[in-house]
Amino acid sequence: MTFTIFSRALHWLMAALILTMLFIGIAMVSSLADYHQLVSIHRPLGALILLLAAVRLINRLFNPPPPLPEGMPLVLRLAAHGSHWVLYGLMFALPLVGWAMLSAAGDPIVLFGGWHLPHIVPHDVMLYATLRQVHTVLAFTLFAVILAHLGAALMHALVFRDGVFASMTVRRR
Amino acid sequence: MLAMAGIGAVVLGAATAFAWAGGLFSHRLTQTRIINTFEAVNGVHPGFRRNHTKGVCLAGTFQASGDAAAISDAVVFKPGTVPVFGRFALAGGMPRTPDTPSTVRSMALNFTTSNGEVWRTGMNDIPVLPVKDVQGFYDQVSTAKPGPNGKPDPAAFPAFLKKHPEAVQAIAIIKATPFSKGFADDRYESLNAFLFVDAAGKKTPVRWAMVPVEPFQPALKTAPSDQNFLFTDLERRLAKGPVQWHLIVTIGAPGDPTNDASKMWPKDRVKIDAGVLTVSALTAEEDGNCRDINFDPMMLPHGIQPSDDPLLSARSAAYSVSFRRRAGEPKSPSAVQPPARQGA
């Protein structure tokens, strides 16, 4: 049993985009010379990830993932399901908090050229300060969960050899 | 076992790369270090900007002549009027510093056009910046940093000039330019270069300035006893009626530096009168429209783009740290408290 080709394509596309996004995010907040360039990529990329997260959630409802291997201990099953829902939650939460944060700052939310997003919360700098902090905490959480997800995937591929890793990569014969 | 070690190495490697991207293993100049230096020089004044700290909010309108629309597709330059708010301020990081005739003054503006686009610009009343890059800016601010005895090192400024020869020339130009008497007869320069982009995508290097309609008056020789005399003067002037500036756009010729705000462009460059700014009201920061705004010079509408000036990205980065810090702090009233007037 594997994920559909569309599901796999979405997974790997988003994996690349989200990792790029996290690295841009952390590089951006320490950079001077590249700050503006990185912010200019960070914003539209965040909007794209939010859009793709919605596509992915809908796709998941129509194409449920293959079941986990029989005989997998309950603890690992719970960890697998739990971490996947945390990943989904963060894929939505991070861009939405980013969007709300810029709205609370009263900043224009420019994507490309004159294309911009509307504000989703009122202008309130105290709210901005909180959301800005939440954005950072969520970003570190997402990176940590991705590392756990990566470690678990490699465990399935190299140690358990139970077909879970292959279900998201190439179709096995 | 080997597999487990390999997996551990991959995960640890990814975490290390992330920490490296965040600057954990380097001592490079960061936006945080710049703002920390401002705080070291001026102290921390919760809720206030870390630079250009003493100020007042302004409100008014911009009426575009339409003349700049030939070189920029920005909606703000099409004939018509847009609401403007902004801020007059003094350079420096102290919220209650007394006004002096020769403190650098600034005007920051926010234009919001009917299609919801925003243009923010922060301008100063000096013809050039003393430095051309971020290191220069950092080194300049650092010269005022108190040493172990609580005072700045007297050798720091000469050392700064030696390290940044462009500053010697720039400071001479700044010193040769007379200060005006107040905010109303003052000229405010974009300093950094930008690119105007027309409908066909053609880019034109520009600098802009708010040039006063009020006739120039020389600055006072000595500061009056009123600690806020510059702001008080502006309030008195505005009580008589609105104050106006022309937005003059200077077009850079080939060879004019766009990446060096410490250099003047020749005086004979083509200029466009893009329209008239009318400032009609002042309000204290805490009841105004400007305190909780980041006048990031990189918040540009479609039709205006940043140039290759390295200070632009650095200003944007430093402003974001200043904004983030003061946003979450408790706020206290500004030193400048214009009397509330009808229509303000």
Side-chain angles (χ1 to χ4, degrees), chain A residues 22-23 26-33 35-36 106-108 114 116 123 125-126 129 132-133 143 155, chain B residues 4 14 17-18 21-22 28-31 115 117 120 134 292 298-299 302 313 316-317 320 324 328-329:
Chain A
L22 286 166
F23 274 87
I26 192 145
M28 178 173 103
V29 294
S30 67
S31 169
L32 282 163
Y35 175 77
H36 177 72
D107 287 349
H116 56 265
H123 182 193
V125 283
M126 279 293 184
R132 178 66 187 76
Q133 196 63 40
F143 189 68
M155 287 291 280
Chain B
M4 295 285 276
F18 195 61
R28 69 198 150 118
L29 186 49
T30 61
Q31 37 189 276
N115 64 343
E117 275 193 281
R120 291 191 187 151
V134 184
D292 297 343
M298 293 297 242
M299 288 179 186
H302 179 65
S313 176
S316 183
S320 79
R324 183 186 179 181
E329 294 167 342

mmCIF file of all heavy atoms in Angstrom, chain A residues 22-23 26-33 35-36 106-108 114 116 123 125-126 129 132-133 143 155, chain B residues 4 14 17-18 21-22 28-31 115 117 120 134 292 298-299 302 313 316-317 320 324 328-329:
data_model
loop_
_atom_site.group_PDB
_atom_site.id
_atom_site.type_symbol
_atom_site.label_atom_id
_atom_site.label_comp_id
_atom_site.label_asym_id
_atom_site.label_seq_id
_atom_site.Cartn_x
_atom_site.Cartn_y
_atom_site.Cartn_z
ATOM 1 N N LEU A 22 11.799 27.532 6.716
ATOM 2 C CA LEU A 22 12.357 27.598 8.074
ATOM 3 C C LEU A 22 13.780 28.151 8.044
ATOM 4 O O LEU A 22 14.152 28.970 8.877
ATOM 5 C CB LEU A 22 12.332 26.207 8.719
ATOM 6 C CG LEU A 22 10.942 25.723 9.151
ATOM 7 C CD1 LEU A 22 10.963 24.231 9.465
ATOM 8 C CD2 LEU A 22 10.445 26.507 10.368
ATOM 9 N N PHE A 23 14.550 27.725 7.056
ATOM 10 C CA PHE A 23 15.928 28.223 6.964
ATOM 11 C C PHE A 23 15.939 29.712 6.578
ATOM 12 O O PHE A 23 16.727 30.489 7.119
ATOM 13 C CB PHE A 23 16.752 27.389 5.974
ATOM 14 C CG PHE A 23 17.362 26.173 6.615
ATOM 15 C CD1 PHE A 23 16.657 24.979 6.690
ATOM 16 C CD2 PHE A 23 18.622 26.232 7.196
ATOM 17 C CE1 PHE A 23 17.197 23.863 7.314
ATOM 18 C CE2 PHE A 23 19.174 25.121 7.830
ATOM 19 C CZ PHE A 23 18.453 23.928 7.888
ATOM 20 N N ILE A 26 14.992 31.767 9.791
ATOM 21 C CA ILE A 26 16.014 31.959 10.834
ATOM 22 C C ILE A 26 17.186 32.791 10.315
ATOM 23 O O ILE A 26 17.765 33.582 11.055
ATOM 24 C CB ILE A 26 16.473 30.615 11.448
ATOM 25 C CG1 ILE A 26 17.293 30.886 12.713
ATOM 26 C CG2 ILE A 26 17.265 29.774 10.467
ATOM 27 C CD1 ILE A 26 17.132 29.895 13.789
ATOM 28 N N ALA A 27 17.498 32.652 9.015
ATOM 29 C CA ALA A 27 18.601 33.438 8.450
ATOM 30 C C ALA A 27 18.213 34.917 8.392
ATOM 31 O O ALA A 27 19.016 35.809 8.669
ATOM 32 C CB ALA A 27 18.948 32.928 7.059
ATOM 33 N N MET A 28 16.940 35.146 8.064
ATOM 34 C CA MET A 28 16.396 36.492 7.897
ATOM 35 C C MET A 28 16.533 37.340 9.163
ATOM 36 O O MET A 28 16.947 38.492 9.100
ATOM 37 C CB MET A 28 14.918 36.273 7.553
ATOM 38 C CG MET A 28 14.045 37.411 7.355
ATOM 39 S SD MET A 28 12.453 36.716 6.775
ATOM 40 C CE MET A 28 11.510 36.839 8.280
ATOM 41 N N VAL A 29 16.181 36.746 10.295
ATOM 42 C CA VAL A 29 16.156 37.540 11.520
ATOM 43 C C VAL A 29 17.540 37.818 12.096
ATOM 44 O O VAL A 29 17.661 38.517 13.106
ATOM 45 C CB VAL A 29 15.244 36.921 12.614
ATOM 46 C CG1 VAL A 29 13.794 36.957 12.175
ATOM 47 C CG2 VAL A 29 15.669 35.502 12.953
ATOM 48 N N SER A 30 18.581 37.265 11.473
ATOM 49 C CA SER A 30 19.918 37.621 11.942
ATOM 50 C C SER A 30 20.682 38.410 10.885
ATOM 51 O O SER A 30 21.776 38.877 11.128
ATOM 52 C CB SER A 30 20.699 36.358 12.337
ATOM 53 O OG SER A 30 20.960 35.594 11.194
ATOM 54 N N SER A 31 20.078 38.561 9.693
ATOM 55 C CA SER A 31 20.799 39.176 8.579
ATOM 56 C C SER A 31 20.509 40.671 8.449
ATOM 57 O O SER A 31 19.427 41.139 8.789
ATOM 58 C CB SER A 31 20.390 38.474 7.286
ATOM 59 O OG SER A 31 20.867 39.190 6.187
ATOM 60 N N LEU A 32 21.480 41.399 7.960
ATOM 61 C CA LEU A 32 21.271 42.814 7.629
ATOM 62 C C LEU A 32 21.217 42.983 6.117
ATOM 63 O O LEU A 32 20.246 43.493 5.570
ATOM 64 C CB LEU A 32 22.420 43.659 8.193
ATOM 65 C CG LEU A 32 22.342 43.945 9.689
ATOM 66 C CD1 LEU A 32 23.675 44.415 10.210
ATOM 67 C CD2 LEU A 32 21.268 44.986 9.972
ATOM 68 N N ALA A 33 22.267 42.511 5.442
ATOM 69 C CA ALA A 33 22.390 42.740 4.007
ATOM 70 C C ALA A 33 21.306 42.011 3.214
ATOM 71 O O ALA A 33 20.807 42.525 2.218
ATOM 72 C CB ALA A 33 23.765 42.293 3.524
ATOM 73 N N TYR A 35 18.398 40.839 4.544
ATOM 74 C CA TYR A 35 17.115 40.827 5.248
ATOM 75 C C TYR A 35 15.928 41.051 4.301
ATOM 76 O O TYR A 35 14.995 40.257 4.253
ATOM 77 C CB TYR A 35 17.119 41.889 6.355
ATOM 78 C CG TYR A 35 15.792 42.039 7.055
ATOM 79 C CD1 TYR A 35 15.371 41.124 7.997
ATOM 80 C CD2 TYR A 35 14.938 43.099 6.748
ATOM 81 C CE1 TYR A 35 14.147 41.244 8.637
ATOM 82 C CE2 TYR A 35 13.713 43.233 7.382
ATOM 83 C CZ TYR A 35 13.325 42.303 8.320
ATOM 84 O OH TYR A 35 12.106 42.432 8.934
ATOM 85 N N HIS A 36 16.005 42.139 3.524
ATOM 86 C CA HIS A 36 14.854 42.491 2.695
ATOM 87 C C HIS A 36 14.560 41.413 1.651
ATOM 88 O O HIS A 36 13.404 41.039 1.429
ATOM 89 C CB HIS A 36 15.073 43.842 2.007
ATOM 90 C CG HIS A 36 13.951 44.200 1.090
ATOM 91 N ND1 HIS A 36 12.712 44.580 1.558
ATOM 92 C CD2 HIS A 36 13.855 44.178 -0.252
ATOM 93 C CE1 HIS A 36 11.909 44.802 0.533
ATOM 94 N NE2 HIS A 36 12.573 44.562 -0.577
ATOM 95 N N GLY A 106 0.073 46.454 11.565
ATOM 96 C CA GLY A 106 -0.399 47.510 10.667
ATOM 97 C C GLY A 106 0.464 47.621 9.422
ATOM 98 O O GLY A 106 0.474 48.651 8.754
ATOM 99 N N ASP A 107 1.183 46.561 9.111
ATOM 100 C CA ASP A 107 2.076 46.581 7.946
ATOM 101 C C ASP A 107 1.343 46.131 6.687
ATOM 102 O O ASP A 107 0.457 45.288 6.762
ATOM 103 C CB ASP A 107 3.245 45.603 8.167
ATOM 104 C CG ASP A 107 4.246 46.129 9.176
ATOM 105 O OD1 ASP A 107 4.140 47.310 9.542
ATOM 106 O OD2 ASP A 107 5.113 45.346 9.593
ATOM 107 N N PRO A 108 1.766 46.685 5.545
ATOM 108 C CA PRO A 108 1.228 46.144 4.292
ATOM 109 C C PRO A 108 1.762 44.716 4.099
ATOM 110 O O PRO A 108 2.929 44.448 4.401
ATOM 111 C CB PRO A 108 1.783 47.086 3.227
ATOM 112 C CG PRO A 108 2.984 47.722 3.845
ATOM 113 C CD PRO A 108 2.720 47.763 5.328
ATOM 114 N N GLY A 114 2.063 44.814 -6.750
ATOM 115 C CA GLY A 114 1.034 45.503 -5.977
ATOM 116 C C GLY A 114 0.068 44.548 -5.301
ATOM 117 O O GLY A 114 -0.917 44.957 -4.703
ATOM 118 N N HIS A 116 -1.388 42.331 -2.611
ATOM 119 C CA HIS A 116 -1.221 42.238 -1.162
ATOM 120 C C HIS A 116 -2.419 41.561 -0.511
ATOM 121 O O HIS A 116 -3.499 41.494 -1.091
ATOM 122 C CB HIS A 116 -0.980 43.625 -0.567
ATOM 123 C CG HIS A 116 -2.056 44.610 -0.899
ATOM 124 N ND1 HIS A 116 -1.983 45.479 -1.958
ATOM 125 C CD2 HIS A 116 -3.250 44.844 -0.319
ATOM 126 C CE1 HIS A 116 -3.074 46.199 -2.012
ATOM 127 N NE2 HIS A 116 -3.854 45.843 -1.034
ATOM 128 N N HIS A 123 -5.167 46.471 14.066
ATOM 129 C CA HIS A 123 -3.842 47.029 14.355
ATOM 130 C C HIS A 123 -3.687 47.179 15.863
ATOM 131 O O HIS A 123 -4.394 47.960 16.481
ATOM 132 C CB HIS A 123 -3.726 48.385 13.638
ATOM 133 C CG HIS A 123 -2.395 49.056 13.821
ATOM 134 N ND1 HIS A 123 -2.185 50.357 13.489
ATOM 135 C CD2 HIS A 123 -1.227 48.597 14.292
ATOM 136 C CE1 HIS A 123 -0.930 50.693 13.748
ATOM 137 N NE2 HIS A 123 -0.322 49.621 14.243
ATOM 138 N N VAL A 125 -0.278 46.814 18.599
ATOM 139 C CA VAL A 125 1.131 46.415 18.713
ATOM 140 C C VAL A 125 1.398 45.410 19.837
ATOM 141 O O VAL A 125 2.305 44.596 19.728
ATOM 142 C CB VAL A 125 2.106 47.609 18.842
ATOM 143 C CG1 VAL A 125 2.307 48.265 17.510
ATOM 144 C CG2 VAL A 125 1.707 48.570 19.922
ATOM 145 N N MET A 126 0.608 45.467 20.903
ATOM 146 C CA MET A 126 0.778 44.465 21.962
ATOM 147 C C MET A 126 0.451 43.077 21.401
ATOM 148 O O MET A 126 1.149 42.099 21.669
ATOM 149 C CB MET A 126 -0.116 44.782 23.170
ATOM 150 C CG MET A 126 0.467 45.844 24.079
ATOM 151 S SD MET A 126 1.982 45.251 24.901
ATOM 152 C CE MET A 126 2.356 46.611 25.966
ATOM 153 N N ALA A 129 3.300 41.962 19.275
ATOM 154 C CA ALA A 129 4.447 41.454 20.036
ATOM 155 C C ALA A 129 4.200 39.998 20.455
ATOM 156 O O ALA A 129 5.099 39.157 20.369
ATOM 157 C CB ALA A 129 4.688 42.335 21.261
ATOM 158 N N ARG A 132 4.257 37.730 17.316
ATOM 159 C CA ARG A 132 5.629 37.618 16.807
ATOM 160 C C ARG A 132 6.391 36.556 17.602
ATOM 161 O O ARG A 132 7.145 35.760 17.039
ATOM 162 C CB ARG A 132 6.304 38.983 16.907
ATOM 163 C CG ARG A 132 7.753 39.041 16.458
ATOM 164 C CD ARG A 132 7.882 38.767 14.969
ATOM 165 N NE ARG A 132 9.279 38.666 14.576
ATOM 166 C CZ ARG A 132 10.043 37.606 14.821
ATOM 167 N NH1 ARG A 132 9.537 36.556 15.429
ATOM 168 N NH2 ARG A 132 11.308 37.602 14.447
ATOM 169 N N GLN A 133 6.159 36.561 18.927
ATOM 170 C CA GLN A 133 6.792 35.574 19.802
ATOM 171 C C GLN A 133 6.261 34.171 19.498
ATOM 172 O O GLN A 133 7.030 33.220 19.377
ATOM 173 C CB GLN A 133 6.479 35.965 21.258
ATOM 174 C CG GLN A 133 7.359 35.292 22.285
ATOM 175 C CD GLN A 133 8.815 35.690 22.126
ATOM 176 O OE1 GLN A 133 9.098 36.845 21.857
ATOM 177 N NE2 GLN A 133 9.716 34.733 22.246
ATOM 178 N N PHE A 143 10.253 22.851 13.383
ATOM 179 C CA PHE A 143 11.549 22.284 12.986
ATOM 180 C C PHE A 143 11.846 21.030 13.813
ATOM 181 O O PHE A 143 12.285 20.008 13.277
ATOM 182 C CB PHE A 143 12.667 23.320 13.138
ATOM 183 C CG PHE A 143 13.966 22.858 12.549
ATOM 184 C CD1 PHE A 143 14.099 22.696 11.175
ATOM 185 C CD2 PHE A 143 15.055 22.557 13.349
ATOM 186 C CE1 PHE A 143 15.295 22.255 10.609
ATOM 187 C CE2 PHE A 143 16.250 22.118 12.798
ATOM 188 C CZ PHE A 143 16.368 21.963 11.421
ATOM 189 N N MET A 155 14.181 5.528 10.379
ATOM 190 C CA MET A 155 14.099 4.290 11.173
ATOM 191 C C MET A 155 13.275 3.253 10.394
ATOM 192 O O MET A 155 13.664 2.081 10.296
ATOM 193 C CB MET A 155 13.425 4.552 12.527
ATOM 194 C CG MET A 155 14.267 5.305 13.526
ATOM 195 S SD MET A 155 15.657 4.365 14.152
ATOM 196 C CE MET A 155 14.818 3.354 15.368
ATOM 197 N N MET B 4 21.461 3.265 12.960
ATOM 198 C CA MET B 4 21.025 4.203 13.999
ATOM 199 C C MET B 4 21.973 5.400 14.091
ATOM 200 O O MET B 4 21.540 6.545 14.206
ATOM 201 C CB MET B 4 20.990 3.503 15.373
ATOM 202 C CG MET B 4 19.967 2.398 15.479
ATOM 203 S SD MET B 4 18.308 3.062 15.638
ATOM 204 C CE MET B 4 18.274 3.345 17.405
ATOM 205 N N ALA B 14 21.145 18.270 10.421
ATOM 206 C CA ALA B 14 20.084 19.213 10.045
ATOM 207 C C ALA B 14 19.927 20.288 11.119
ATOM 208 O O ALA B 14 19.805 21.478 10.814
ATOM 209 C CB ALA B 14 18.775 18.466 9.827
ATOM 210 N N ALA B 17 22.846 22.703 10.894
ATOM 211 C CA ALA B 17 22.710 23.612 9.748
ATOM 212 C C ALA B 17 21.730 24.736 10.083
ATOM 213 O O ALA B 17 21.937 25.898 9.724
ATOM 214 C CB ALA B 17 22.228 22.836 8.521
ATOM 215 N N PHE B 18 20.673 24.397 10.792
ATOM 216 C CA PHE B 18 19.650 25.380 11.174
ATOM 217 C C PHE B 18 20.245 26.427 12.118
ATOM 218 O O PHE B 18 20.041 27.637 11.933
ATOM 219 C CB PHE B 18 18.499 24.636 11.856
ATOM 220 C CG PHE B 18 17.237 25.437 11.991
ATOM 221 C CD1 PHE B 18 16.565 25.917 10.875
ATOM 222 C CD2 PHE B 18 16.689 25.690 13.245
ATOM 223 C CE1 PHE B 18 15.381 26.643 10.996
ATOM 224 C CE2 PHE B 18 15.507 26.417 13.382
ATOM 225 C CZ PHE B 18 14.857 26.889 12.248
ATOM 226 N N ALA B 21 22.481 28.713 10.163
ATOM 227 C CA ALA B 21 21.717 29.706 9.389
ATOM 228 C C ALA B 21 21.259 30.850 10.290
ATOM 229 O O ALA B 21 21.125 31.984 9.852
ATOM 230 C CB ALA B 21 20.520 29.037 8.709
ATOM 231 N N GLY B 22 21.031 30.532 11.564
ATOM 232 C CA GLY B 22 20.609 31.559 12.509
ATOM 233 C C GLY B 22 21.768 32.360 13.077
ATOM 234 O O GLY B 22 21.566 33.206 13.939
ATOM 235 N N ARG B 28 29.165 37.745 13.184
ATOM 236 C CA ARG B 28 28.875 38.807 12.226
ATOM 237 C C ARG B 28 27.926 39.850 12.832
ATOM 238 O O ARG B 28 27.243 39.597 13.825
ATOM 239 C CB ARG B 28 28.335 38.210 10.937
ATOM 240 C CG ARG B 28 26.972 37.599 11.038
ATOM 241 C CD ARG B 28 26.719 36.668 9.847
ATOM 242 N NE ARG B 28 25.822 35.596 10.262
ATOM 243 C CZ ARG B 28 24.626 35.412 9.723
ATOM 244 N NH1 ARG B 28 24.211 36.158 8.750
ATOM 245 N NH2 ARG B 28 23.847 34.440 10.155
ATOM 246 N N LEU B 29 27.927 40.981 12.172
ATOM 247 C CA LEU B 29 27.080 42.092 12.588
ATOM 248 C C LEU B 29 25.625 41.723 12.278
ATOM 249 O O LEU B 29 25.295 41.405 11.150
ATOM 250 C CB LEU B 29 27.510 43.318 11.787
ATOM 251 C CG LEU B 29 26.903 44.659 12.112
ATOM 252 C CD1 LEU B 29 26.968 44.938 13.604
ATOM 253 C CD2 LEU B 29 27.626 45.725 11.337
ATOM 254 N N THR B 30 24.778 41.732 13.288
ATOM 255 C CA THR B 30 23.376 41.385 13.064
ATOM 256 C C THR B 30 22.478 42.567 13.414
ATOM 257 O O THR B 30 22.921 43.531 14.029
ATOM 258 C CB THR B 30 22.948 40.190 13.942
ATOM 259 O OG1 THR B 30 23.117 40.572 15.315
ATOM 260 C CG2 THR B 30 23.772 38.953 13.647
ATOM 261 N N GLN B 31 21.213 42.453 13.056
ATOM 262 C CA GLN B 31 20.233 43.504 13.358
ATOM 263 C C GLN B 31 20.102 43.679 14.876
ATOM 264 O O GLN B 31 19.930 44.796 15.361
ATOM 265 C CB GLN B 31 18.885 43.167 12.719
ATOM 266 C CG GLN B 31 18.545 41.700 12.733
ATOM 267 C CD GLN B 31 17.307 41.366 11.913
ATOM 268 O OE1 GLN B 31 16.200 41.476 12.397
ATOM 269 N NE2 GLN B 31 17.494 40.957 10.688
ATOM 270 N N ASN B 115 -6.338 51.678 -3.668
ATOM 271 C CA ASN B 115 -6.311 50.222 -3.896
ATOM 272 C C ASN B 115 -5.700 49.477 -2.703
ATOM 273 O O ASN B 115 -5.447 48.281 -2.791
ATOM 274 C CB ASN B 115 -5.549 49.905 -5.184
ATOM 275 C CG ASN B 115 -4.085 50.309 -5.095
ATOM 276 O OD1 ASN B 115 -3.692 51.093 -4.225
ATOM 277 N ND2 ASN B 115 -3.271 49.771 -5.976
ATOM 278 N N GLU B 117 -2.747 49.914 -1.309
ATOM 279 C CA GLU B 117 -1.278 49.840 -1.261
ATOM 280 C C GLU B 117 -0.717 50.885 -0.304
ATOM 281 O O GLU B 117 -1.301 51.957 -0.124
ATOM 282 C CB GLU B 117 -0.707 50.096 -2.655
ATOM 283 C CG GLU B 117 -0.646 48.859 -3.513
ATOM 284 C CD GLU B 117 0.195 49.135 -4.722
ATOM 285 O OE1 GLU B 117 -0.312 49.769 -5.670
ATOM 286 O OE2 GLU B 117 1.369 48.752 -4.718
ATOM 287 N N ARG B 120 5.747 53.769 2.588
ATOM 288 C CA ARG B 120 6.322 54.442 3.753
ATOM 289 C C ARG B 120 7.719 54.930 3.415
ATOM 290 O O ARG B 120 8.474 54.240 2.739
ATOM 291 C CB ARG B 120 6.385 53.474 4.953
ATOM 292 C CG ARG B 120 4.983 53.157 5.456
ATOM 293 C CD ARG B 120 4.958 52.436 6.768
ATOM 294 N NE ARG B 120 3.555 52.058 7.025
ATOM 295 C CZ ARG B 120 3.178 51.007 7.722
ATOM 296 N NH1 ARG B 120 4.082 50.221 8.282
ATOM 297 N NH2 ARG B 120 1.910 50.740 7.892
ATOM 298 N N VAL B 134 26.714 49.287 6.095
ATOM 299 C CA VAL B 134 26.226 48.901 7.408
ATOM 300 C C VAL B 134 27.327 48.943 8.457
ATOM 301 O O VAL B 134 27.127 49.402 9.577
ATOM 302 C CB VAL B 134 25.650 47.475 7.335
ATOM 303 C CG1 VAL B 134 25.043 47.095 8.658
ATOM 304 C CG2 VAL B 134 24.627 47.392 6.242
ATOM 305 N N ASP B 292 2.647 53.504 16.738
ATOM 306 C CA ASP B 292 2.616 52.049 16.592
ATOM 307 C C ASP B 292 2.866 51.610 15.153
ATOM 308 O O ASP B 292 2.399 50.550 14.722
ATOM 309 C CB ASP B 292 1.270 51.523 17.094
ATOM 310 C CG ASP B 292 1.097 51.804 18.586
ATOM 311 O OD1 ASP B 292 2.105 52.093 19.254
ATOM 312 O OD2 ASP B 292 -0.045 51.738 19.071
ATOM 313 N N MET B 298 11.497 50.148 3.264
ATOM 314 C CA MET B 298 11.329 49.116 2.243
ATOM 315 C C MET B 298 9.863 48.744 2.045
ATOM 316 O O MET B 298 9.562 47.820 1.299
ATOM 317 C CB MET B 298 12.133 47.877 2.619
ATOM 318 C CG MET B 298 13.616 48.125 2.579
ATOM 319 S SD MET B 298 14.192 48.540 0.928
ATOM 320 C CE MET B 298 15.308 47.156 0.695
ATOM 321 N N MET B 299 8.952 49.447 2.711
ATOM 322 C CA MET B 299 7.537 49.203 2.458
ATOM 323 C C MET B 299 7.123 50.078 1.294
ATOM 324 O O MET B 299 6.767 51.239 1.443
ATOM 325 C CB MET B 299 6.713 49.488 3.713
ATOM 326 C CG MET B 299 6.947 48.405 4.755
ATOM 327 S SD MET B 299 6.035 48.683 6.245
ATOM 328 C CE MET B 299 6.687 47.348 7.258
ATOM 329 N N HIS B 302 3.799 48.989 -5.584
ATOM 330 C CA HIS B 302 4.122 48.606 -6.951
ATOM 331 C C HIS B 302 4.504 49.887 -7.708
ATOM 332 O O HIS B 302 3.779 50.868 -7.632
ATOM 333 C CB HIS B 302 2.887 47.955 -7.580
ATOM 334 C CG HIS B 302 3.083 47.535 -8.987
ATOM 335 N ND1 HIS B 302 3.976 46.553 -9.345
ATOM 336 C CD2 HIS B 302 2.524 47.978 -10.133
ATOM 337 C CE1 HIS B 302 3.959 46.397 -10.644
ATOM 338 N NE2 HIS B 302 3.080 47.248 -11.157
ATOM 339 N N SER B 313 18.332 47.594 3.067
ATOM 340 C CA SER B 313 17.973 46.337 3.738
ATOM 341 C C SER B 313 18.344 46.396 5.216
ATOM 342 O O SER B 313 17.599 45.925 6.080
ATOM 343 C CB SER B 313 18.682 45.160 3.061
ATOM 344 O OG SER B 313 18.417 43.970 3.758
ATOM 345 N N SER B 316 15.839 48.463 7.132
ATOM 346 C CA SER B 316 14.629 47.671 7.286
ATOM 347 C C SER B 316 14.778 46.653 8.422
ATOM 348 O O SER B 316 13.886 46.498 9.266
ATOM 349 C CB SER B 316 14.358 46.975 5.951
ATOM 350 O OG SER B 316 13.182 46.253 5.983
ATOM 351 N N ALA B 317 15.932 45.980 8.444
ATOM 352 C CA ALA B 317 16.187 44.949 9.459
ATOM 353 C C ALA B 317 16.256 45.563 10.857
ATOM 354 O O ALA B 317 15.639 45.064 11.808
ATOM 355 C CB ALA B 317 17.488 44.218 9.136
ATOM 356 N N SER B 320 12.947 46.732 12.164
ATOM 357 C CA SER B 320 12.050 45.648 12.568
ATOM 358 C C SER B 320 12.368 45.195 13.998
ATOM 359 O O SER B 320 11.460 44.894 14.768
ATOM 360 C CB SER B 320 12.095 44.480 11.581
ATOM 361 O OG SER B 320 13.234 43.679 11.793
ATOM 362 N N ARG B 324 9.818 45.564 17.050
ATOM 363 C CA ARG B 324 9.438 44.374 17.805
ATOM 364 C C ARG B 324 9.634 44.600 19.301
ATOM 365 O O ARG B 324 8.806 44.224 20.117
ATOM 366 C CB ARG B 324 10.287 43.197 17.336
ATOM 367 C CG ARG B 324 9.923 41.914 17.997
ATOM 368 C CD ARG B 324 10.879 40.812 17.601
ATOM 369 N NE ARG B 324 10.511 39.595 18.293
ATOM 370 C CZ ARG B 324 11.167 38.457 18.175
ATOM 371 N NH1 ARG B 324 12.212 38.392 17.380
ATOM 372 N NH2 ARG B 324 10.776 37.400 18.827
ATOM 373 N N GLY B 328 6.112 45.369 22.394
ATOM 374 C CA GLY B 328 5.692 44.579 23.540
ATOM 375 C C GLY B 328 5.920 45.257 24.880
ATOM 376 O O GLY B 328 5.658 44.655 25.923
ATOM 377 N N GLU B 329 6.430 46.495 24.854
ATOM 378 C CA GLU B 329 6.739 47.171 26.117
ATOM 379 C C GLU B 329 5.596 48.101 26.542
ATOM 380 O O GLU B 329 4.857 48.589 25.691
ATOM 381 C CB GLU B 329 8.022 48.007 25.950
ATOM 382 C CG GLU B 329 9.251 47.149 25.701
ATOM 383 C CD GLU B 329 10.460 47.955 25.215
ATOM 384 O OE1 GLU B 329 10.280 49.104 24.753
ATOM 385 O OE2 GLU B 329 11.576 47.427 25.275
#
